Every structure is written in structure tokens, then in C-alpha cells.
Amino acid sequence: MGRRSAKRHHVPGTSPGTLAFPAEAGAPGRMTVITYSAEAFTERTVASLAEVPFPTPSGQQTWLRIVGHSPAALGALTERFGVHPLVVEDVVNVEQRAKVEEFDRYLFIVLDVLRATADGAMREEQVSLLLFEDLLISVQQGESDLFKLVEERLRTGRGKMRGLAVDYLAYALLDAAVDHFFPTLERVGERVDEIEDELLARPDRRSFERLHETKRDLLRLRRATWPLREAVAKLERSEGGLVREGTHVWLRDVYDHAVQIIDIVETSRETTSELVDLYLSSVSNRMNEIMKVLTIIATIFIPLTFIVGVYGMNFNTQAGPLSMPELNWRWGYPAAWAVMLAVAAAMVWMFRRRRWL
Amino acid sequence: MGRRSAKRHHVPGTSPGTLAFPAEAGAPGRMTVITYSAEAFTERTVASLAEVPFPTPSGQQTWLRIVGHSPAALGALTERFGVHPLVVEDVVNVEQRAKVEEFDRYLFIVLDVLRATADGAMREEQVSLLLFEDLLISVQQGESDLFKLVEERLRTGRGKMRGLAVDYLAYALLDAAVDHFFPTLERVGERVDEIEDELLARPDRRSFERLHETKRDLLRLRRATWPLREAVAKLERSEGGLVREGTHVWLRDVYDHAVQIIDIVETSRETTSELVDLYLSSVSNRMNEIMKVLTIIATIFIPLTFIVGVYGMNFNTQAGPLSMPELNWRWGYPAAWAVMLAVAAAMVWMFRRRRWL
Amino acid sequence: MGRRSAKRHHVPGTSPGTLAFPAEAGAPGRMTVITYSAEAFTERTVASLAEVPFPTPSGQQTWLRIVGHSPAALGALTERFGVHPLVVEDVVNVEQRAKVEEFDRYLFIVLDVLRATADGAMREEQVSLLLFEDLLISVQQGESDLFKLVEERLRTGRGKMRGLAVDYLAYALLDAAVDHFFPTLERVGERVDEIEDELLARPDRRSFERLHETKRDLLRLRRATWPLREAVAKLERSEGGLVREGTHVWLRDVYDHAVQIIDIVETSRETTSELVDLYLSSVSNRMNEIMKVLTIIATIFIPLTFIVGVYGMNFNTQAGPLSMPELNWRWGYPAAWAVMLAVAAAMVWMFRRRRWL
Amino acid sequence: MGRRSAKRHHVPGTSPGTLAFPAEAGAPGRMTVITYSAEAFTERTVASLAEVPFPTPSGQQTWLRIVGHSPAALGALTERFGVHPLVVEDVVNVEQRAKVEEFDRYLFIVLDVLRATADGAMREEQVSLLLFEDLLISVQQGESDLFKLVEERLRTGRGKMRGLAVDYLAYALLDAAVDHFFPTLERVGERVDEIEDELLARPDRRSFERLHETKRDLLRLRRATWPLREAVAKLERSEGGLVREGTHVWLRDVYDHAVQIIDIVETSRETTSELVDLYLSSVSNRMNEIMKVLTIIATIFIPLTFIVGVYGMNFNTQAGPLSMPELNWRWGYPAAWAVMLAVAAAMVWMFRRRRWL
Amino acid sequence: MGRRSAKRHHVPGTSPGTLAFPAEAGAPGRMTVITYSAEAFTERTVASLAEVPFPTPSGQQTWLRIVGHSPAALGALTERFGVHPLVVEDVVNVEQRAKVEEFDRYLFIVLDVLRATADGAMREEQVSLLLFEDLLISVQQGESDLFKLVEERLRTGRGKMRGLAVDYLAYALLDAAVDHFFPTLERVGERVDEIEDELLARPDRRSFERLHETKRDLLRLRRATWPLREAVAKLERSEGGLVREGTHVWLRDVYDHAVQIIDIVETSRETTSELVDLYLSSVSNRMNEIMKVLTIIATIFIPLTFIVGVYGMNFNTQAGPLSMPELNWRWGYPAAWAVMLAVAAAMVWMFRRRRWL
């Protein structure tokens, strides 16, 4: 919760099914009805749900696309198609966990797709699907290219999509949505590799902050993908008749992709954990190296400074024969230097032998 | 256990069903009976349970609200409604784990709602529900606004609540109770975000202590919400007939909310764990930075201090030609300065080259 | 294993059912037979198992209490009541994991109660129950007040215990045993709170050692309580007829308590883990603070010491115009002080600006 | 994902079953048909799938080996043998998770074998098996010695392989593939042992980086082997008739090997985790040792330097009787040395007594 | 894998059932046939399996002990008793995971017993049992006292072993094998306690290395005991008729022991983890203590050294009235000492007040 992962919630105690439309969702939205069969394909924009033929005429399949959370359109889902008010509430409330719910006459699927944007941030996009007999309703928050390729395949009649019912279309949309995680994961993976290289070359506060961000991204991805897997598994096992026999094998493939995504997310999470260790060890290593060298320099000079201090003492050389006679020796000064060089050399040698240098 | 999470427990070995009323619960409490049907709504305060019509007259629904743990009222639950003594014990003992228990004639639901108070602390509020055929008894520890909106919806007749039986009312109360976790989580989430910002900007002992408190809060939230989820799941699967068919879909929604709450709690917990890492790494980073600079300053001056020490030695320059002749050279003093500046420059250059500065 | 958690084990390969009586268990022990019904209550001490009426006369219930592991008494359990030799072995071998085993004619329950003693240590006390039709045998290691209150309730006839069969008595003993964990947990919880306060106020080696001990205690509690929960759950689900229908709801309550105990233990464990973090962070914080201040003091004085060293050099001021003329300047000495004060002030200012001070 | 663990994925939204041939897979590949029975063995290279007899003539078994991902050959699998397009997609997309899928007429098995190459890196090799009645199709990415020994056993007629059906051959291939993990694990294990020895002898940045690499290798091995185990378990439980009764016991052996592999991987992972602790503790230990010695040297000399500084002060000994009379004492200088030696000895003695040296 | 936990594996791809006899297993081994019934007991050494009566004559029980992996003897198991080649392979390959496999005519049990040797190392000893109707074959790697006591009980006729079938004998062997873990665990536990005492008294590199070794031992114990528990559980649930009804309760006891062993291993593992924390905290504590004292000594002397440096400056006292007049004051030198003592006292006081000393 909080700023970075805000969830809208209505006031506790209000009537369930209360639709909390986001402020920015005032845009009227766009509704398109696509009717297709093996032979035909028509597409038109409608202004209200009343224009959608329901039940779908025999031999045809209908895909109703609702883009934007128009209160009018979504509010009418209950009357027109008998959608449960709680489902409509879930459609409107963005940032749901992915889930699949089975009702008598329809299946409700909600997904949360995380996509890396150009600037490296991640954007969530919620997609709801309502799968009726011969009718599929998809609701998206706003304009997006998420289903662009599927739409084209349907329009151009490539592949076998037109010859099959809307449950196959639902599968194709799901597949597209799930596959959109892969480029995001790839980008995260590249970032992890870059950070690892940086850390091995030269540990850096900046790298660590990038690592921290990446871990947060992976936490979000994980939160999005585990329920996704559960939802797809539930859909694959669904036995209500809305998902036809032949579609299950395709859904199993989506399930495999979901598992693979989780696998990548979890592996990346483990890798980032190890990078934290690597960072900490690198930093402490580097710091130790510096401190060691500096301390050794200081340690070598400290006895030397003591020696020069000794001969800086002002004892009166006249006071007695043992009162600093060195000061008056002919070779006193060179001898002092010799002693100091010998001490320094001995210390360097000792540090070397102990492999401290 | 202990001060911060005290649990009351009776002396081991005493008779089960012994009611341990908290000392401060001496207040007489307040009992209200609300009777409603699709057409009617009456509300009155009663002084004893004997005044509650039971079984509820056909075509009506009764909601008995007990506010405050009045020994007299609660003690009478067993005689008047056949509630098991252990259930009454659970109602009275606050700080139960959330749970649902099924009996022949009623369902017992106990919940523990954690709410952030204005001063940032968290307050627990226990709610018990006893769901009979056409009668719902709710028991709260004290006055609270937890169910205010539900009560209003019932009083004003908005929504469909009046037209449905008390199991729907029980759902509405549960829903309100569960939804009260969201503002609390939001506040915790905001605090986590604030702490993260502080840590990234400038690691601070105070932030760490706030982080520690937040972790304790999340531990409490976790302890409260996992049993909550189990309890709601059990209720949803309940097949005793007390929960009507149509109510299950609403309970599934409450279950989804409980799952979402746990999801947020667990994600926040992971985030706070990473913030601990971030804090430790920031602190050590900052400390290292300081120590490095200081040590470098010391290291540069140590050889210089040695040099000035050398020319502070009192060797008699008359003793021989090698006895500190520098002291009498015309350019001796400037030369000493030149040497010292060269040494300092060389060291700075070396530190720069090794990227220690 | 080892000194602090010693387990007795017989030599591997010896015959199973070999009774390994602890050396100190030589005391003869005490056997009491309590016979009760709704109307009557008699209690007498017996010297051998042969004196115990078995099967219990109709309409009566018998509780045989064996206190102390008397070889004679326990060895006779097999002959007199047909108890399996392995069960007798388990009764004798203290420090069993809690468990419930069902046999044709009896149920075997063994529990391990951990209680905090006055000096803060924890003492284990093993209790075995053998539940037959109308006969309950309880075996305790030694004299203890564990079941004192239950015995009194039975003796005084308070509550409904006398009117029910021995399975209810078994429940009452179990309930008392399980509830004895609560005061122990409370004491541990208080210790955790104290340690937290100490750590927040002033991290201390002693606190850390107390924390370490507390963690060991919690580990022992955990090891004791998880099997306890499993055992109670198995008992609650038991369908052999020895546990009567009405007793299951009471056992469910004991199960709830066991779950609550585990909940507290696990929460305390998490709390202590966070306290370790808090301790380490506090210690390193404090240490850093000290080192920082000391290093800053040193760093400020090092350049000053260099300066005074410079003017301690013995260059002959007569040697030339640049040979330490400062020494003979009228304001030389005050100027040196001025320079030194300026350097010190500049450094303090710099450290302040960087927020190192 | 990312460079080091790149996954190919097609553009999200493209038609499922779209074959994404890797660029380097343009090579035509090689197809060999081996036909065998208890008495006969023939082997020939074919240019297209049309040349493969299907269904296999009675009394014979056919093994079709496809080496290299030839688009032509793989694309024809669907037409010729009725393989589902998604399966063909999985065959072509390398880096699948190991899995087993059951279809009406065939079983699909895909495995990912990780093998250590001579230079210590790990290479992945994907193997797909399609098990029909009397026909086994194996697809490998490229030439490899993975199945060399199995092929030889079949060719030479050693063992009982020729007398059994292709499900036994499939088992033999699986067994060979799984067993190829062992030498890899052995090499990783040796590396772990070497690193441990290095760390115990002398902690080293290089060892830590090797450790980090080893952890990444183990992560990859783990990711490869867990699905492997699941896949083999599913195959063992398979009841479709394609796996004959007698083959299950052999598959159980493969399953045991898979479990053993996971066991080794997990144990190695735990060992490497402990090595990280060992490394960090060794590094900090060594560093502490160095710093301690250096600091002690400095600490001993600091008071001595102070003393020589005292007698370097220029107070005028004529100014009064207490103005540094020591300087003119006959034994002043030796006394100063005596004091300094005494101070140094006292400090060394104190450090010794406190066991700092 | 690797040196310390080497596993033998045959070349991947070789025929399954290939027996990989360890090089050192060339010794011929020893085979003993023990035939017993309630009344009789005979024992003789045989040279080949052909001498073993099979099926066992009615009314008798046969125990065939094979000690040493003699290729001749083990190779003949398949022909003589119909043992599956894979089972023979498992018997020969030491370092199997413990497991139980059920076949039509026999049960195969393989166990891995870890025993602490006198020098503190751990030795693995693999035991295989083949339980037929009235015949038990045990295979051990070499001579060992593992089953000495069981053999004696059988020979002397103590206990009820002779009167029961070989499944009870198999239980007795299992029980002996499992119980051999206890002394090992006890020794490990003692070592953990010793290490804890050392760490609390005085943290030491040597203790840490012992701790590291202990963790490796516990890892091995864990790896050995989890499969052990699974195997015993499977055996207890076995319903093939080879394990008679009355033996199940004895196996449940073995299962309890296995659970207890795991419990001890896991508890010890947690304890050692906490000891690592304790060690690290102790080391850093001790180090901090040393560094703090040393730094404080240095910090106290640095200002004093500065002061004596000041009065070592050679400013000409004749140059002016402010040019170091102190040097010629009558009380200059004592005053300098007074100032220095005051500074030192002030610093000590400050450090005390801040509790740094």
C-alpha cells in the first residue's frame, strides 16, 4: 500500500457492488462489437450495450471490447447480461489479484499485466474477460496495444481463430496477456546482469540503489504472477462447458508459460539476493583494502617519528657523558637516518612476510 | 505475550467456561434489538435477554447488538439461546484468533480487527457474531463506529439488505470488519514509503527505530489476518443451511479481500526486510566514507610530520660535515617545504589514481 | 542432545520394551485410586495395581493416579490392564514428543509440559494418560501441582465433572496441562519486552546473552508445542468410542489453546530474531559514533601538530633571508596560533557542513 | 532472463504454434531411422519424414532420431504423426522446463540436460522424446554424445534392449540423460571442496568470486532438476498403456536418481551458503587481526612520542628551579629512556594480560 | 559430491543393473545362515547361495547374513531368489538414500547409518534388507557390531524374537540400526554445548572451525535421516502381507524414533545457526572493545602531543613581548604540565560521562 502501490478501496461498510470509478476514468470509453464466423467478420462501434445482440445468433461468435471504464457501460453489464454486481465491482476496481470465477452462465477472468515502459518503470494494466456462450466481453482500463496482434489475426482470418468459438479467442487474449510478461522479464534480467557486472568490476552505491529498485520490481512481478498461475490453472481445470474440450490443451500451454514466468521471477529474486551479498562483500573488501594500506603507512612512520622526537629533546649535552652524546658525534646524524631506514625496512619486510602488503 | 501483547488467561485447571471478565468491563453495556423485514424496521433497547423474541417470528429478521461485555447479558446467552459455555468464554476472552465454529443450531464467528489510531498506534477490537436462523447476535467490546454504516444502510433501507435474511446481514458486518483493515494497511504502507525515502536520503537511527516499530505492527497484522482468511474460507464452505445459497458468492468476495490483505501484509513485510538491508548498507557506507576521508587526511600528514621532526633534531651541526648541514644551507628551509609539498602532492595523486578520493 | 537437552536412550539393539528407569526414580511412588459418580466420591491409596477394580463397576468412573516412576507399578501395567510393552516404555522414558496413540481398548496420550521455574529456568514435566472405558490412568514423574485444581474440582463436586465419564476428566487434565504453558509464555514474553527496552536504551553484551538464552528457551518451547498440537488434533478427530461425542467440542477448545500457544511461540521467535538485528545495528551504531568522534578529534589535531613541528625545526635563521624568518618576527608566534586556530575552525566547519559532527 | 539465461520468446500475441527457429539452426539436420526387433537391427538415414514407416510394422520397433532443429522435418511432425502444434513449438523452443505431457496416441517428454564442459562452464542440451506405440522419436538440438552408449547397446544387441519395446528404449535414453548430471555434480562438488580448502587456508577475493559462480551454477542446476523430478514422477505414474507394466520399475530407478540429484544439489547449495559465512568470517577475522596489531603498535608509540615531545620543549631552564631542571641533570637523558621503556613494557604487559596480543 | 561426500556412479548410458563393485570390495565376504524357530536355533557358514534352503521349510525362519560385497554372492541373488537386477544394483552401490520398495514376493529396505567414530569423524554404513516370506537377507558392507546385540538375543533365545517370524527380526534390525543414531547425536550435541561454552567464554577462530565442521556433520545427518523417516513410514503402512499385523505397532515405535532423531537434528541445526550469530557478535564485540580502548588512548595523547609541540617551537623570545614569553616564565614549565593534565582529565571525564570507558 502507500504511494508506490496504492490500492483504491471504498469506505468500509458501504454497500457491496458500489462502483468506485477512478477520477480519471471519466472518459466515455469506446465499445466495439466484433462478430465473426468461419466465413464472415464484421466490426462496429456501439454507443450502448443495448445494441449488442444477445444471445449471439447461432453460428456466430461475438467479441465485445470495452476500452475505458465508462460508468454507463459497466453499470449496464448487470442488467443486460446478468453479470453479478460484485463482478462489475471487480472489473472497475483496478489492481485486483488475477483470478478466475465460475458462474452459471459465464466465466469471469481478471488479469493484471505488468509491462516495463521505455523509462524503466513498470506499468500495470488490468484486463477483465467475461466468457459467455458465444460471447466474449473484454474490458480494458484504457487504449493499449495489448491485444493488437490478436485482433489483426482475427480480422485477417489468419490461423484457425475464426473457425473456433469465443473460448479459443479468450485463450488467445490470455496467451497474449501472459506473453507480455516475457519482454518485461527480459529487461529486468538484463538489468540484473548489468548490475552484476558493475558490482564485480567496482562496487558502487548507485548500483546498490538500482539493485534495490530491481528487487522491488521483482516483488511486484511476483505478487502479480503467482495469482496468475493459480487463475490459469483453475481455468484449465474448469469443467463448466464454457471452455470447450479442445481448448484445454491450449490453456495448458498458457499455464506452462505462467509457470515459466514464475520460475524466472524466482530465479531472478535469488540472483538479486546473492548480488546483495556480493555488493556487501565487495564494499567491505575494498574498504578493508584502503584502511589496511593507510594503517600500514601510519604504522611505519610512527616509530620513525618517535626517533626524530628523541633527538629533538633538549637535554643538556654538557650535563654528563650519557646526556645525549650522540648529538655531538661526527656520524650521529647519518647514523640516526640509518637506524630509521633500518626500522622502516624491517617493518615493511615483516608486513610482507605476513602477507599484509 | 508480555506487556505489549498481553493475553488474559485464567488459572490453569479452573473449570472451562469460567468467564474472566476484564476488570474494566464492569460497565453494564448496551443491548439493542433491531427487527426488520422488507417492509418494516423497528429498533429498541432491552435490559435483559428475556425481552428478545426467540425464535424470531416468521417473516422477520432480528439483530441483537450487545455492546460491552456485561457479565449479566453474556452469562445469559447459554440459557436463553443454548449457546455452548465455551463459546461464551471465547466471546468474553478478548484477543482470540479469528475463527468460525459450526454448531447444530448456530454458527459462531469471532474476529479481531486491528485499526490504526490517530497517534499511529494500533488498537485491537474483537467482534463476535452468533448466527441463528433469523437471528443474529453481535457482541462488541465497547462503543465503536465499526458497524455504523451497515446499521445506517439497514435503517434507511438502502440496498437490498432488508429484503434478505440475517446471513446477509452477517456478511455485511464481516465485510465491514474486514474492510476496516485497508485504511490501516494504507497508513502502514505510507509509513514504509516515508521510511524508505528517509533511508535513501540520509540513514538515521530514528528511521531505523520507526522501521522496527513498523515491523512489529506488521507482525501483529500478520498474526491477525492469517486466521481471518482461514475463518472466512471456512464460512464460505459452510454447508449447514444457516448460510443461504446466494450468500456464498458475497462471502467469496470477503475472502478475496482477506487474501488481498494478507498479500499486502506479506509484501510490506518483505519490503521492510529489504529496508533493513538498505539501512545497514547505508549506515556502513556513510561510516566508511567518513573514516576513509579522515584516514586519508591523517595519512597525508604523517610523513610530513616526520620530516619536520627530522629537522627538529638537535644534532650538533659543528660535529662534522654530514651532521645536518641542511640546517645551515641558504635554501634549506624552502627546500624542506618543497619536499613536504611534493610528498603531499604525490600521496594525493596516488589516492586519486586508486580512486580512494 | 548433549548436556542441556539430554535424552536417555537404551543401548541400540536391546530388546524393545526394556524399561530404562532413571537412577533417581528409585522412590516407590504413590498410587491413588479415585472412584466417582454423580453421587459419590471415594479416594484411597493402593499399594499394587491388583487392588484397582477393573473393569470399573458399572455406573462408576475410576481415576488411577500414579505419581513417580515406580518400576513395580509400571511394570505391572501390561499384565493388569493389557497395556502394550512399548507404551509402558514410552511412559517411563521421559522427554517423549507429545503424541496420541489409539489401541483397541485404550488411548495413550503423552504430553510434555514446560514450566518456568522461579529462577527463570524451564523444567519439563512429562504426563502420560491411559484412557480406558470408565478408567483413566495418569502417570506423572513426581509430585507436582499440575492437576491440583482439577482434583479439587472433582473432590468438591463443583462443575459437571462428576456427572460425566472419564473422557471428560481426561479432557480436564489435558486442558490444565496445556494451560500451564500460558504463564510460562507470559514470563518469556515479559523477558523479551525487557530485553527490547534494554536494547533500545543501551545495547549491552548482557542483554544479548539473555536474548540468546531466550531464543534457546523458545526453541525448546517450539519443540514441545508443535507435537502437542498434532496430538490434540489427533485426539479430537479420534473416533474409537472412548472419547464420547460431547467431549469433542471441549477438545476443540484445547486444540484452539494449543494453536494459540504455537502462535505466541512463533511470534516471539520472530520478535527475538528482529531483536538480534536491533542489537547488532545498535552496537555498530554506537561503535561508529564513538570511532567517528575520536577520529575527528585526531584529524583536527594532526595538521596542527604538523604546524608546530614546522616551527620546531632547527634551520639556522642566519643562513639566508628565507630560512625561517618567521621565528624572528615580532608577531610570528601569535600568527602561528592564529593559523592553527583558523585551520581547526575550518575543519570543524567542514565536518559540520558534511554533517559528520 | 538476460544475457546469461536468455530465453527465446515470440512476439506476444502471435499465433500459437508459430515456430521460432533459432538463427543458427539453419543446418539441415540429420534424420536416422533405426528399426529393431529381438532378431534384427537396421539403420538408415532418411531425407524426409515420409520415408518413416508408420504405423511401425508389427513385431518391429522404430527409433527415429532427429538431430538438429530442421524446420522442414519438425514442421512435418504434425502432418505425418499427428503431433499437436504446441508440442512441436515446445520441441523447437529450447530451454523448456522438463515436462511430460500425455496425449491420446503419444507421450511427449522434454528434458534439459546440464553438462559441465571442459572449461568449467555449463552447457544446456535439450532433448525431446515422442513415445508412440512401437515408435520413438527423439529430437536433439545438435550432434552430441548424450545417447552414444545407448545406441551402441542397441546396435550390438547387448543387454535386453532389443527384445523389449520402445518404451524401454525411452527409459534407457531418459536414464542416460539423467545420469549425465552426475559427472557435472561431481565437478561442482570438487570445486566446492577446493573453495572450502582455500577459504580455510587463506580467504581470498578470487575464491569468493568462484564461490559466487558456483552458486549461480547450482541455481541453474536446481532450476533444471526440480522439474525433471516432477516429469519423471509423472511418467512413472502414467497409465496410458504406452508405458508397459514392466517398465515402471525401471522408471522408478530413474526417479530415485532424479531425487538423488536434487538431494546433492540442495546439499551443495546449503554448503555454499555456509561457505559464504565462512568467507565473511575469515575476511573479517584476518582484517581484525591486522588492524589490531597495527593499532597496538601505534598505541604503544603514542605516549612515548609525547614524552620525547616534552623534553623537546624550549622552556628556559634558567627561568626558575622548576623550569625543566631535568634537562641539566646528569642522568636526565638515560632516565627519560628508562621511563619510556617502562611505559612501553607496561603497555605490552597490559595488552598481553588482556589477551590482545 | 566431491571428495568429502563422494558418490560412485557408473558411466551414463551403461546398461542398468551393471554392478559397480568398489575396488576395495574384492574380499570374498562371509555368508551365514541362521535358522530358527521357537524351539531351535542353528547357524552355519555357507559358501554359495545355492546352500540356502529356499523356500524356507515350514515352521522355520531363516536369516541369511551377507557381510562384505562379494560379487559372486550378490550377483547370484537374482537367480536364486528372483531379486530384481536394479535392487541388486542398489545393494551394491553404497551411499543410497534410505528407502523401502515393495515387490510381489519381497520387500527391499536400504538404510544408511551414520556413526561417530572415536576420532570424531562420521562413518557411513549401508545396510540392505530383503524380506521374503520366512526369509530375511541382510547385506552389510563389512564387519561391524551394528547387529551384534540382536544376534545375541536371537542366539540366547531371550525375548520373544524366536517365536515370531522374520518380519519381527527385520524390525529388530531396523530398530537397532535407527537407535545407533542416538549416541552419534549425543556426541554432536555435546560438541555443540562445548562450542557454545567456548564462544560465551572467549570467541575463537578454532571454535568457529569446529562449529563449521559440526554444521557439515549435521547436514550429513539430516540428509541421512529425512529419507530414513520416509522409508520407515512407508514400511509401517505396507500392506503386502510380508509385514504381519502385530509388527506394525513395533514399526510405529521405530517411526517415532526416526521422528525424534530428525527433531534433534533440526534443533541442533537451529542451535548451530544461532551459535554462528553468537560467534560473529562476540568477535565483533571483542574487536570493538579493543579498538575503542586503543583509540581512546590515542585520542587522549594527541592534544597533549600538540601542546608539547607548541613549546618545542623555536620562535625567538627576544623578537617581541608576545613571542613565546611563557618559555621564560618562572612557572612556565609546571603550568604546561598542569594544562596537559587538565586536558587529559577533562577528556577522561568526558569519555566516562558518555560511557565510552
Side-chain angles (χ1 to χ4, degrees), chain C residues 59-79:
Chain C
Q60 291 192 352
Q61 302 291 325
T62 306
W63 176 16
L64 167 59
R65 293 188 70 182
I66 305 180
V67 174
H69 286 173
S70 145
L74 298 182
L77 283 172
T78 303
E79 295 157 39

Side-chain angles (χ1 to χ4, degrees), chain D residues 70-121:
Chain D
S70 144
L74 297 181
L77 281 173
T78 302
E79 295 158 39
R80 183 77 183 103
F81 303 108
V83 175
H84 196 286
L86 282 172
V87 168
V88 180
E89 191 185 343
D90 283 346
V91 167
V92 173
N93 289 345
V94 294
E95 308 214 17
Q96 291 289 319
R97 282 166 62 91
K99 69 178 170 183
V100 166
E101 290 190 351
E102 295 181 59
F103 292 85
D104 281 351
R105 299 188 50 213
Y106 59 95
L107 272 170
F108 171 52
I109 306 162
V110 62
L111 292 183
D112 203 31
V113 182
L114 277 172
R115 297 164 76 181
T117 56
D119 61 340

Side-chain angles (χ1 to χ4, degrees), chain D residues 33-53:
Chain D
V33 175
I34 291 172
T35 314
Y36 66 94
S37 63
E39 302 83 29
F41 177 92
T42 66
E43 177 172 8
R44 69 203 160 91
T45 302
V46 294
S48 94
L49 291 186
E51 298 177 45
V52 182

Side-chain angles (χ1 to χ4, degrees), chain B residues 323-335:
Chain B
S323 191
M324 304 193 84
E326 310 91 312
L327 294 182
N328 292 317
W329 291 351
R330 188 183 175 88
W331 298 101
Y333 181 61

